[in-house]
């Protein structure tokens, strides 16, 4: 394997199995390897939003991961950084060493203080760290069009491409077993966090417009899990965190998949293209998505589901009732979503886009 085809992938928020970040990181790595790249993953063992380590412990773990990469820097021509402000030391040193350094941007710096409110006073420092490494980067990959525009303005250059999330279309597709429940159901799969609309879902099932006989099935874990467990409703089934191979049957058997992301403190102002959207589409299930840039545009353009205002329990209940009253229309939406996802939204397609940019950068040198 030539040195030019050796790539270091730096992910300072340690991706854990079951998280969307874990799926994204390992899917991209796997597909880049299929394209001939020899990829090494460097990650911080004590970091990650779902971990319980204190900020100083996470910081030391992040610095240790970067030190490990820097000690091995001679092995790699390209470094792929999963966006993180604390990656600035390694990113800047590696650029000085003549490495090709690219960053994947999944959100703005504001996400840090939404996830870790106690760190709000350090926001100006985090924003500066992001800006200097993005300014020096060879290229930036953003997951939405709006985020790409933010990245370009933030970094002061136009070396930016849009590379969104995707689906493992070998696992997530319309063929295969379907989950079976006593009643029709809509499903939410993902982290039970503030911005995924968990409280909105729980309010919706108690709304008068929610259709009789339709259940809400929730699969996942996170800080909102106690609220889900405490909910007393015969319209709710909580499954907890599920292994990945159990998720496609949940989607295939559902009336609709809920992608009801919200926008606390403006964290979604620059759009969202979540993993669950593409995986739902690939399984052939209609999508109910909140009206946020990126995902709403995709759902509308492909007619693969319905778009509702964020944080609106009544709208969610009414939309579930609309699909329950016309399951053939819901099925047709699902079919259109599967056609779109299987044709254009695989991880292989995303890795090919990244590989093409890396080839252009290396060719330019």
């Amino acid at each position: 394997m030539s040195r030019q085809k050796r790539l270091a992938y730096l992910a300072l928020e340690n991706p854990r199995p079951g998280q969307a970040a874990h799926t994204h990181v390992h899917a991209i790595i796997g597909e880049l390897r299929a394209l001939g790249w020899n990829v090494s993953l460097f990650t911080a063992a004590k970091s990650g939003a779902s971990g319980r380590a204190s900020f100083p412990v996470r910081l030391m773990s992040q610095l240790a991961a970067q030190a490990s990469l820097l000690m091995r820097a001679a092995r790699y021509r390209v470094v792929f950084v999963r966006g993180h402000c604390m990656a600035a030391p390694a990113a800047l040193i590696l650029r000085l060493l003549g490495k090709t350094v690219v960053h994947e941007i999944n959100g703005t710096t504001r996400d840090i203080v939404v996830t870790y409110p106690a760190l709000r006073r350090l926001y100006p420092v985090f924003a500066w760290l992001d800006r200097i490494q993005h300014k020096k980067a060879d290229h930036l990959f953003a997951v939405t069009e709006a985020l790409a525009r933010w990245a370009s303005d933030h970094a002061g250059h136009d070396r930016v491409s849009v590379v969104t999330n995707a689906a493992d279309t070998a696992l997530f597709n319309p063929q295969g077993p379907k989950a079976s429940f006593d009643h029709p159901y809509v499903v939410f799969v993902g982290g039970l966090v503030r911005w995924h609309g968990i409280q909105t879902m729980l309010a919706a099932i108690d709304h008068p417009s929610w259709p009789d006989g339709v259940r809400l099935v929730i699969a996942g874990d996170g800080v909102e899990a106690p609220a889900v467990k405490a909910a007393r409703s015969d319209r709710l089934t909580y499954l907890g965190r599920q292994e990945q191979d159990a998720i496609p049957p949940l989607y295939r058997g559902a009336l609709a998949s809920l992608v009801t992301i919200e926008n606390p403190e403006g964290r979604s102002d620059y759009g969202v293209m979540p993993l669950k959207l593409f995986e739902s589409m690939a399984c052939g299930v209609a999508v109910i998505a909140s009206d946020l840039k990126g995902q709403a545009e995709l759902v509308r353009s492909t007619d693969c589901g319905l778009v509702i205002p964020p944080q609106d329990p009544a709208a969610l209940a009414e939309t579930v009732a609309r699909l329950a009253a016309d399951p053939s229309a819901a099925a047709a939406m699902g079919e259109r979503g599967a056609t779109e996802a299987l044709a254009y939204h695989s991880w292989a397609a995303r890795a090919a886009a990244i590989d093409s940019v890396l080839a252009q950068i290396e060719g330019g040198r």
Side-chain angles (χ1 to χ4, degrees), residues 227-249:
V228 176
K229 293 175 183 177
R232 300 286 183 244
S233 174
D234 58 4
R235 292 173 171 174
L236 174 65
T237 297
Y238 177 49
L239 302 178
R241 192 176 77 84
Q242 299 292 297
E243 297 300 324
Q244 190 179 38
D245 59 2
I247 296 172

Side-chain angles (χ1 to χ4, degrees), residues 19-345:
Q19 295 178 324
H22 184 275
T23 300
H24 188 135
V25 168
H26 288 277
I28 289 295
I29 288 175
E31 294 297 342
L32 286 175
R33 285 172 175 161
L35 292 171
W37 288 92
N38 186 338
V39 184
S40 300
L41 175 63
F42 293 83
T43 189
K46 298 293 184 181
S47 186
S50 63
R52 299 181 183 276
S54 66
F55 175 69
V57 171
R58 293 199 304 270
L59 178 58
M60 292 305 296
S61 182
Q62 291 163 359
L63 292 174
Q66 293 177 77
S68 178
L69 170 55
L70 289 170
M71 287 188 294
R72 296 165 175 79
R75 303 179 183 181
Y76 305 103
R77 178 62 192 164
V78 176
V79 179
F80 188 105
V81 181
R82 183 172 170 87
H84 199 292
C85 64
M86 290 303 176
L92 295 174
I93 292 171
L94 289 161
R95 284 295 292 118
L96 289 173
L97 293 175
K99 308 298 181 183
T100 294
V101 180
V102 301
H103 296 253
E104 175 189 282
I105 302 178
N106 294 281
T108 69
T109 313
R110 188 184 302 166
D111 288 0
I112 299 172
V113 297
V114 174
T115 306
Y116 304 109
L119 302 179
R120 189 177 304 276
R121 63 187 178 183
L122 296 176
Y123 174 81
V125 177
F126 297 148
W128 178 75
L129 289 170
D130 265 342
R131 185 175 297 109
I132 59 172
Q133 59 181 319
H134 294 165
K135 182 177 181 179
K136 298 294 185 180
D138 288 283
H139 205 84
L140 304 174
F141 297 104
V143 294
T144 71
E145 293 282 355
L147 193 56
R149 291 191 291 272
W150 171 86
S152 182
D153 292 341
H154 177 75
H157 61 74
D158 60 0
R159 301 187 300 276
V160 184
S161 300
V162 178
V163 177
T164 69
N165 270 301
D168 176 355
T169 54
L171 179 63
F172 292 89
N173 56 66
Q175 288 74 45
K178 298 180 180 181
S180 178
F181 291 89
D182 294 337
H183 301 283
Y185 68 94
V186 295
V187 64
F188 170 83
V189 177
L192 305 190
V193 293
R194 176 183 175 191
W195 53 85
H196 278 173
I198 307 303
Q199 295 296 337
T200 298
M201 297 176 208
L202 296 179
I205 60 176
D206 289 331
H207 192 275
S209 297
W210 188 273
D212 291 334
V214 176
R215 299 179 71 86
L216 167 63
V217 173
I218 295 178
D221 198 8
V223 295
E224 296 284 346
V228 176
K229 293 175 183 177
R232 300 286 183 244
S233 174
D234 58 4
R235 292 173 171 174
L236 174 65
T237 297
Y238 177 49
L239 302 178
R241 192 176 77 84
Q242 299 292 297
E243 297 300 324
Q244 190 179 38
D245 59 2
I247 296 172
L250 286 174
Y251 283 139
R252 294 186 194 113
L255 176 68
S257 172
L258 306 187
V259 191
T260 51
I261 296 173
E262 296 176 357
N263 192 20
E265 301 185 45
R267 77 172 301 276
S268 301
D269 282 350
Y270 294 95
V272 292
M273 290 292 253
L275 192 68
K276 62 176 63 64
L277 172 63
F278 295 101
E279 292 179 345
S280 301
M281 290 171 61
C283 284
V285 60
V287 174
I288 299 176
S290 47
D291 195 357
L292 295 173
K293 295 175 184 175
Q295 68 173 20
E297 294 156 0
L298 179 59
V299 171
R300 288 186 175 117
S301 66
T302 59
D303 194 17
C304 68
L306 299 171
V307 176
I308 62 172
Q311 209 167 338
D312 190 333
L316 177 55
E318 291 162 4
T319 303
V320 172
R322 175 180 168 183
L323 293 179
D326 193 353
S328 61
M333 292 175 189
E335 290 175 5
R336 289 190 288 270
T339 299
E340 171 76 12
L342 297 177
Y344 302 110
H345 301 296

